[in-house]
Amino acid sequence: MKKITKLLVANRGEIALRVLRSAKEMGLQTVAIYSEADRNALHVRYADEAVCVGPPASKDSYLRGDKIIEVCKQLGVDAIHPGYGFLSENAEFARLVAKAGLIFVGPSPEAMNVMGDKLSAKQAVKAYNIPLVPGTDEAISDVEEAKRIASEVGFPILIKASAGGGGKGMRIVTSAAEFEEQMQLAINEAVSAFGDGAVFIEKFVTGPRHIEIQVLGDEHGNIVHLFERECSIQRRHQKVIEEAPSSVLTPELRAEMGRCAVDVARACNYTGAGTVEFLLDDQHNFYFLEMNTRLQVEHPVTEQITGLDLVKEQIRVAEGHPLPFSQEDLTITGHALELRVYAEDPANNFLPDIGTLTTYVRPQGPGVRVDDGFEQGMDIPIYYDPMIAKLVTFGKDRTEAIERMLRAIDEYQITGIETTLPFGRYVLQHPAFVSGNFDTNFIRDHFTPANLTPAVTDPNIAKVAAVLTAMLMTEKKAPVVASDAPVATGSAWKRNRLGTR
Ligand code: MV4
């Protein structure tokens, strides 16, 4: 057993704070790192010690693995938690951490390498009978051969970069005529984006759901799954709303996908927390896509329905402890939703909106959890991800979780910047979302900025605008905005919120 006594969190924002909190509960000493842009950040204040590692740009600070390891040596740190993003999926960094005699809270560099490359991931899971999307499981460079396979599989097809992932480096091809050109573009893109031109082809699954399974493995060969997260509500590969459990999985399908996810983890001797991503088609066939070898942004919904603290489990496993439960011990209780609150203007093509949080008051009350890294008066830095907070609600069932989310969105007071809160309210009230019958095309199919609550201060103008919007929507045979779409009435803060910045 390797005892961790002092943990460095190699990250910033809400996830740094999230990890520090669990470390504190476990009685660990904590170290934060920060960039010059984050001097006043909450994670810096929360940790026992904090060290500035460089200028604002990530490549000069949060990505400086060498400096971070140096800080560990100076401060007597014995483990590094990478959070998500930044160095979390960098196998070379994990190797250097181990070489320095430190514990990397995450999987082995080997597992990260295997799953970091989509084709090597497919190769690795081959022996386990995991369903894959029809296509090739090897890199393909011969255009004629690729065309032949594409016509066998049937159009439309997707060309994907092996080094890609999360939607990067994908191209849709709808007919043989455009195949050659698209393939050349895909290869060129892959070379310039990843320095690796390997591409493969897959049948394009139209209108899929994105269902991912949380897994947890220890160093003794035990692997369990912690059920699924439904992540189909995305905008340009950026997740907007996640939930657990999914409303489409039957207990049988859940158990089957869970078994497959555990096998994917087994295929790379996975240790720690990881996520196995599947596509689910309209016939409820599922296909393994990729594995994310980190703690994910949306892990709180899994924590809410399982009662576990995933960060604590990660740390215990990293110390060499066996998992304290088996698959049979795990059950789903209730329903959880997560809305990502971004500093983006949904009325203006989701343009990032930086500035000062003039007002920032979090929602509270039963079934509400806010994971964030900001306080009123703080600036949102331009250098990093524009996510301000994760608003998580929990209820006895999906209906209660939705009701609590709508109530929490209404309680949330943010002025000074535009946020995606009104967008979240729109999605949560939409009949397709409420019914549970939606896929990854939800936003494309159902959202235009006209759906949003008008940003005007005069209640009368707001009402007129809402009625006009509803009329326009009816004409287009699209869903009508809910008639109780909030207009600028009620308390002063609400008027402020709707007002100009
Ligand atoms: C696909 C697909 C359809 N067919 N693969 C996008 C993210 C990356 N992990 C894989 N992605 C997709 N792969 C085949 N063969 C559709 C997507 C996709 C998608 C997947 C999950 C959630 C949102 C998405 C949005 C667009 C495309």
Side-chain angles (χ1 to χ4, degrees):
M1 228 50 71
K2 307 155 275 186
K3 182 83 189 93
I4 297 175
T5 57
K6 194 167 184 177
L7 181 77
L8 179 142
V9 181
N11 215 299
R12 65 178 301 282
E14 66 88 15
I15 195 62
L17 200 54
R18 160 77 194 85
V19 173
L20 288 167
R21 286 190 160 121
S22 288
K24 184 164 189 161
E25 287 178 25
M26 295 172 86
L28 308 184
Q29 291 172 267
T30 56
V31 179
I33 57 161
Y34 62 97
S35 74
E36 286 164 14
D38 279 338
R39 287 190 183 284
N40 301 318
L42 289 186
H43 75 284
V44 175
R45 274 194 258 154
Y46 195 93
D48 298 323
E49 292 169 89
V51 181
C52 183
V53 289
S58 300
K59 68 170 187 359
D60 301 321
S61 51
Y62 296 105
L63 289 171
R64 283 293 300 271
D66 55 339
K67 269 200 187 171
I68 293 167
I69 290 171
E70 199 45 50
V71 169
C72 290
K73 289 179 181 167
Q74 279 167 11
L75 299 185
V77 165
D78 38 34
I80 297 178
H81 193 301
Y84 54 70
F86 297 124
L87 295 164
S88 62
E89 292 179 284
N90 185 323
E92 186 51 28
F93 175 67
R95 198 167 278 126
L96 291 173
V97 169
K99 214 174 128 197
L102 302 164
I103 296 171
F104 180 80
V105 181
S108 68
E110 292 76 25
M112 288 162 85
N113 266 334
V114 169
M115 291 300 160
D117 181 274
K118 306 311 147 214
L119 281 169
S120 74
K122 285 187 195 239
Q123 292 302 325
V125 306
K126 239 179 169 177
Y128 289 84
N129 251 321
I130 310 291
L132 301 175
V133 186
T136 57
D137 55 12
E138 277 174 56
I140 193 150
S141 52
D142 183 324
V143 176
E144 288 314 309
E145 195 198 344
K147 264 185 170 170
R148 191 178 51 71
I149 295 167
S151 54
E152 264 173 37
V153 168
F155 288 95
I157 63 133
L158 264 183
I159 305 177
K160 294 186 177 182
S162 187
K168 284 186 223 116
M170 301 194 334
R171 279 194 168 261
I172 300 181
V173 190
T174 50
S175 73
E178 54 181 274
F179 193 91
E180 186 159 357
E181 186 191 347
Q182 290 298 325
M183 182 154 157
Q184 206 48 58
L185 285 168
I187 293 172
N188 293 349
E189 262 174 26
V191 169
S192 62
F194 313 112
D196 173 1
V199 299
F200 59 98
I201 59 185
E202 279 182 358
K203 173 143 192 74
F204 180 58
V205 181
T206 49
R209 283 180 174 250
H210 172 137
I211 307 262
E212 56 184 37
I213 310 270
Q214 176 72 53
V215 295
L216 203 49
D218 66 21
E219 293 173 1
H220 309 273
N222 306 303
I223 305 175
V224 298
H225 71 84
L226 304 177
F227 314 107
E228 77 279 9
R229 291 185 289 260
E230 159 72 68
C231 306
S232 297
I233 309 286
Q234 310 208 357
R235 194 187 154 269
R236 303 202 177 153
H237 303 298
Q238 194 183 58
K239 292 168 186 161
V240 176
I241 292 174
E242 301 101 338
E243 63 178 306
S246 161
S247 21
V248 280
L249 295 201
T250 59
E252 294 72 33
L253 187 52
R254 175 171 296 122
E256 202 185 331
M257 290 180 78
R259 269 196 306 275
C260 278
V262 167
D263 279 343
V264 169
R266 206 173 297 291
C268 62
N269 296 313
Y270 200 82
T271 54
T275 297
V276 181
E277 201 180 303
F278 295 98
L279 284 185
L280 185 71
D281 71 17
D282 50 9
Q283 306 295 305
H284 291 190
N285 299 305
F286 66 90
Y287 309 96
F288 166 61
L289 273 192
E290 52 191 78
M291 180 170 189
N292 300 312
T293 58
R294 57 166 193 276
L295 183 72
Q296 301 220 174
V297 174
E298 59 272 25
H299 76 276
V301 293
T302 299
E303 295 188 320
Q304 297 303 129
I305 63 153
T306 59
L308 293 170
D309 180 324
L310 285 178
V311 173
K312 283 184 187 166
E313 299 306 333
Q314 285 186 298
I315 292 171
R316 286 200 194 102
V317 162
E319 287 185 314
H321 293 284
L323 292 176
F325 40 72
S326 61
Q327 192 65 57
E328 297 70 49
D329 300 326
L330 298 164
T331 53
I332 298 175
T333 305
H335 199 101
L337 291 171
E338 174 179 286
L339 171 66
R340 298 193 190 185
V341 184
Y342 292 99
E344 291 175 348
D345 185 358
N348 196 4
N349 203 25
F350 294 84
L351 213 67
D353 194 24
I354 48 151
T356 305
L357 288 168
T358 319
T359 315
Y360 187 73
V361 182
R362 298 171 188 91
Q364 299 180 49
V368 175
R369 163 177 172 180
V370 182
D371 282 23
D372 64 9
F374 290 103
E375 274 186 344
Q376 188 160 298
M378 284 182 173
D379 291 327
I380 312 281
I382 53 169
Y383 304 97
Y384 317 106
D385 188 271
M387 191 178 76
I388 310 171
K390 303 186 304 203
L391 176 54
V392 181
T393 60
F394 178 72
K396 63 180 185 301
D397 54 23
R398 190 168 187 266
T399 304
E400 189 173 53
I402 292 175
E403 288 164 356
R404 286 189 162 148
M405 183 63 84
L406 288 167
R407 185 263 294 170
I409 290 172
D410 245 42
E411 277 184 29
Y412 220 145
Q413 301 172 45
I414 304 179
T415 66
I417 51 158
E418 296 299 327
T419 76
T420 51
L421 278 173
F423 174 64
R425 181 196 288 118
Y426 168 77
V427 174
L428 282 149
Q429 291 177 325
H430 195 284
F433 181 81
V434 173
S435 75
N437 181 20
F438 54 84
D439 61 36
T440 50
N441 296 316
F442 178 91
I443 291 173
R444 191 197 68 189
D445 293 349
H446 297 299
F447 179 73
T448 68
N451 299 135
L452 295 170
T453 306
V456 286
T457 44
D458 184 330
N460 294 318
I461 295 175
K463 274 179 196 151
V464 169
V467 169
L468 283 174
T469 308
M471 284 166 68
L472 284 167
M473 298 298 296
T474 323
E475 216 170 318
K476 278 182 12 201
K477 293 268 182 282
V480 176
V481 236
S483 59
D484 59 346
V487 291
T489 55
S491 62
W493 67 261
K494 197 174 270 184
R495 278 198 297 280
N496 285 339
R497 186 180 51 169
L498 290 168
T500 50
R501 18 195 160 131

